[in-house]
Amino acid sequence: MTAPAVAGHSVPVSPTPVALWRRARAVLLVGVIVVAAALVPALVSHPQPGRYADPADPSLDGSRALAALLTRHGVTVSRVDDAQEALAVAGPGTLILVTEASALNRAEAADLAAAPSDRLLVGPVPFLDLLAPGVTPKERGVWSRSRPPECALPEAVRAGSAYMGGTSFTAPAGATGCYPAPGGAPTLVRSTSGGRTVTVVGDGAYLTNLRLAEDGNAALALGLAGARPRVAWIVAPDEPDEVAEPGGPGAPDAPDAPDGDRTLSDLIPDAVPWAVAQLVVAVAVVALWRGRRLGPVVVERLPVVVRAAETVEGRGRLYRARQARDRAALALRAATAERLRTRLGLARGAPPEEVAAAAAARIGADPAHVRETLCGPVPPDDAALVALAGHLDTLERQVGHS
Amino acid sequence: MALTGRAGLLAALGAVVVLLAPRPGLAMAGVALALTALVLADLTLAGSVRGLRLYRDGDRLVRLGESVAIGLVVENPGSRRVRGVLRDAWPPSAGAGPRRLSLDVPSGERRRLVTTLTPTRRGDREAVAVTVRALGPLGVAARQGTHHVPWSVRVLPPFLSRKHLPSRLARLRELDGRHPALVRGQGTEFDSLREYVVGDDVRSIDWRASGRRGDVVVRTWRPERDRRVLIVLDTGRTSAGRVGTAPFPLSGASAGPRGANGTGGVDGGGGRDGAAGWPRLDWSMDAALLLAALASRAGDRVDVLAYDRAVRAWLSGAARTELLSSLVNVLAPIEPELVEADAPGMVAAVLARARRRCLVVLLTDLSPSAVEEGLLPVLPRLSARHLVLVASVADPRVAAMASGRDTAGQVYDAAAAERLRGERRRITSLLRRHGVEVVDALPDDIAPALADAYLALKAAGRL
């Protein structure tokens, strides 16, 4: 207004790099601690998944407890990776233990079947037709639970009830079936094939460290697996090198793929993915450019914006919603009567009938009609209400002009 | 720091380089390295923002509806040129423009930039921050920093009703005449004695004075002066309600609560700028300013009190010449408080401040519930000692609703409006029965109506 008043000079308020570092270091420290806490146990421990029914595995899925029991009972446990090794140790005094984890192909299964050893097949073992001729799976997905033996098999009788289920079988003639599923089909079948005793069990859970201590599981496992002085236990190979299925998404670089089989990704030059990555970088740079605000967001305490007429509008809507013609008509008539009172020079408290009479006399209209307009009944519908409002206006105008 | 569009463009061109290069992976790493090097070089070579010194100059007062230019001097004591953009951030309702200014200050020099404020509502507006983005010589990256350069501008009430002042002053002059009257009557007080001249009313001869002087002497009279007027502004919740049409575009409802407007206007109303209306308080202030200007010219003392549950403003004993400027200054920062006004407290505050009899002008709303529960019970205490005038801003929207006849919905609205008007009439008559004067006028008429009521009271000698 007057001489330019120069205020004290400015104060920089942006944080300095040092201040930024000071502010961020606690957060960074916490972040580093969190990441370290997540990574270090993962790096230090090597949480291999349990190897199912592996005599060397101490996890809940493994069967190290059973192997230890067998060893204590004088049974030699040979842990073998595949059928060839098993055949190397197989003999009349050997029991070959095959579980669903054992990786066999058909030829190996046939070789095993030809070996002069007893066989114990646990779980859904493939090539059951070769390994246990005559035993066929009847129903899969039988609920595994503690079941009574209900047969004369000595091992089963000794063990009593055990954790059985998985698959039920149709036993061949002369075979013994134990631990029947609800349908009556056994989940353990002992048969003889070519002079070898073959035992098929629907579920291998009773062998695992998890279940071994329950029921008669341990006794049954000992009875079945310790029947011979030596067990050739075929486990899953160390490196489960899954064979690539033909036509699957494996085998990325088929070197001699004929021209017709080249996919779209083979046709794209090598530089294109890199260029796309560079474009992503460019988008990020543009995002940084556009995202950087020029100064802080300014906040302001805004005044409340309320129209003073809102309460009246609300009351009008309420009248409409409830179809309150009685109140609406009353308000309109009272307002008109009030104005007419002033105009006709009547007292403030004059009743509406008196106003009607005076107004009718003034304009020379039918007193009954004026009276009905000013203090008649409640209009029966909305149209009558609109009409009443019109009549009141007309009456007021006529009195005004008289 | 900040990047620029050039950095983005370079990165995008890098994609072409990567596409055509024989070793794409290496090329990508090279592009990234080159870009980083350019950005770092630019940041290093850009002028220092932190070292800048900024000063402001300009006005500290502006009337609502007018613009004010605020100068911003940027001094660069650093060794490198500062080139880039500057944003002078003010609150949205300060209406600051332009949004960003270009800046080019060579080393050791200073430049003056101008920000124009066109405030959209009353009150104090504080400058928030000045942000400078100094580009490097390559234009790839920029240093950015914010300075706090304090300045505040007080936005005064516009005093729109000053256009009514000349006509009311003319009425006032008629009233007091400049020439003393011989007629004694209500609203006059003794002025002086003078010699009788032919034509004077013989009834005005002062025989005692004539006896003393040995000459025929008449008494002259003039309208009473040096009365007290106390204007009380109710700043409670009812004063926040918006009525009428705001006289300035976007007044009060600056950009932000646009959505709220839409819900308010049922039929029409939502489209125009300022359709949200102007708070009752602002209309009341306008009327108070006109009344204060008029009363101070009429030789009365004017005090102003703003009250809701506490004293928001109190102006007393201002010199006649200074009254209006100090009044707008005191009223400018007052905002409606969203609380029910405390009528007993208000009456107590008035009684504590006004020892002698005065005209208490109470600018409030005649809303039935607030008046019946708050004001009416305590009014006798006030009207026993003072002359009370209650002025209220009526809502033109209610009047418009009362004349709606086209559809059933409009007739229901009209009934609701008539009901409210009936209540207001009832309150008015109740107040009049207490010996209180009532002025109930539409927003555009409230100031002249209040001035006329004051003149009528003065003419009737009721002050």
Side-chain angles (χ1 to χ4, degrees), chain B residues 148-189:
Chain B
H148 182 56
V149 195
W151 195 262
S152 77
V153 171
R154 174 159 287 190
V155 186
L156 305 174
F159 195 10
L160 298 167
S161 56
R162 63 178 178 274
K163 63 188 178 206
H164 298 293
L165 192 56
S167 63
R168 266 62 193 181
L169 283 177
R171 292 263 303 278
L172 187 68
R173 271 194 296 276
E174 261 169 47
L175 201 65
D176 80 357
R178 288 289 134 126
H179 11 268
L182 296 177
V183 188
R184 179 181 190 178
Q186 277 194 323
T188 57
E189 59 189 12

Side-chain angles (χ1 to χ4, degrees), chain B residues 210-269:
Chain B
S210 300
R212 273 204 300 274
R213 292 265 299 266
D215 195 0
V216 185
V217 169
V218 293
R219 283 181 189 182
T220 57
W221 305 87
R222 62 171 190 186
E224 52 192 5
R225 294 173 66 87
D226 292 314
R227 303 290 135 169
R228 286 157 182 271
V229 178
L230 174 54
I231 302 173
V232 182
L233 280 167
D234 174 6
T235 58
R237 68 174 175 87
T238 52
S239 71
R242 295 185 176 235
V243 295
T245 308
F248 304 108
L250 292 177
S251 233
S254 63
R258 284 260 111 179
N261 294 0
T263 56
V266 180
D267 13 308

Side-chain angles (χ1 to χ4, degrees), chain A:
Chain A
M1 225 159 192
T2 52
V6 174
H9 80 80
S10 55
V11 186
V13 290
S14 325
T16 60
V18 175
L20 269 182
W21 163 244
R22 282 207 190 113
R23 200 186 303 167
R25 64 185 175 185
V27 177
L28 279 178
L29 184 66
V30 170
V32 166
I33 289 175
V34 166
V35 171
L39 281 185
V40 166
L43 293 176
V44 169
S45 71
H46 31 85
Q48 286 176 335
R51 291 164 61 85
Y52 175 73
D54 187 326
D57 190 312
S59 76
L60 290 179
D61 281 343
S63 293
R64 186 153 159 187
L66 177 60
L69 277 181
L70 287 170
T71 310
R72 197 181 303 165
H73 282 77
V75 178
T76 309
V77 177
S78 306
R79 181 175 175 276
V80 294
D81 274 351
D82 53 27
Q84 271 66 41
E85 288 181 44
L87 291 172
V89 297
T94 304
L95 175 93
I96 298 177
L97 173 52
V98 181
T99 68
E100 60 192 275
S102 315
L104 300 178
N105 57 30
R106 192 162 187 89
E108 289 169 339
D111 289 348
L112 286 179
S117 305
D118 290 349
R119 294 189 290 277
L120 173 58
L121 312 173
V122 176
V125 174
F127 314 120
L128 205 60
D129 51 336
L130 295 177
L131 293 169
V135 179
T136 49
K138 185 177 181 203
E139 186 189 353
R140 299 194 186 275
V142 176
W143 183 251
S144 290
R145 64 176 189 82
S146 181
R147 299 182 192 280
E150 296 183 25
C151 69
L153 191 71
E155 291 91 338
V157 173
R158 255 202 313 281
S161 59
Y163 190 82
M164 286 287 146
T167 312
S168 64
F169 302 97
T170 311
T176 315
C178 298
Y179 301 104
T187 59
L188 185 151
V189 174
R190 154 88 37 107
S191 61
T192 310
S193 156
R196 263 91 67 181
T197 309
V198 177
T199 314
V200 184
V201 183
D203 184 6
Y206 76 104
L207 296 176
T208 61
N209 297 336
L210 176 66
R211 300 278 176 201
L212 195 67
E214 296 175 5
D215 274 353
N217 288 353
L220 183 66
L222 267 182
L224 292 178
R228 293 285 178 273
R230 188 182 184 93
V231 176
W233 195 318
I234 306 179
V235 299
D238 263 348
E239 282 298 310
D241 193 13
E242 288 298 326
V243 283
E245 298 144 58
D253 287 326
D256 300 323
D259 272 2
D261 287 358
R262 281 167 66 181
T263 58
L264 184 63
S265 55
D266 295 333
L267 294 169
I268 293 175
D270 289 346
V272 170
W274 290 101
V276 170
Q278 179 61 35
L279 278 180
V280 170
V281 171
V283 168
V285 170
V286 170
L288 283 177
W289 163 42
R290 299 307 300 170
R292 181 77 164 112
R293 224 175 15 234
L294 190 56
V297 171
V298 180
V299 294
E300 182 181 15
R301 193 169 165 251
L302 286 173
V304 60
V305 179
V306 178
R307 294 167 56 84
E310 261 180 15
T311 50
V312 184
E313 284 164 359
R315 189 189 286 275
R317 278 196 289 271
L318 270 182
Y319 280 172
R320 199 179 326 167
R322 306 305 305 162
Q323 308 238 309
R325 281 184 291 275
D326 47 348
R327 287 168 189 279
L330 195 66
L332 289 172
R333 280 170 169 154
T336 301
E338 177 69 32
R339 285 191 285 267
L340 289 183
R341 252 177 229 130
T342 324
R343 189 162 283 281
L344 295 169
L346 295 173
R348 188 176 292 275
E353 288 82 3
E354 196 181 317
V355 176
R362 174 75 69 92
I363 61 176
D366 176 15
H369 182 246
V370 175
R371 191 185 159 85
E372 198 194 318
T373 305
L374 262 187
C375 35
V378 173
D381 55 17
D382 282 357
L385 182 68
V386 176
L388 171 68
H391 291 324
L392 286 170
D393 278 358
T394 313
L395 176 64
E396 221 175 308
R397 204 164 43 243
Q398 283 170 341
V399 172
H401 289 164
S402 62

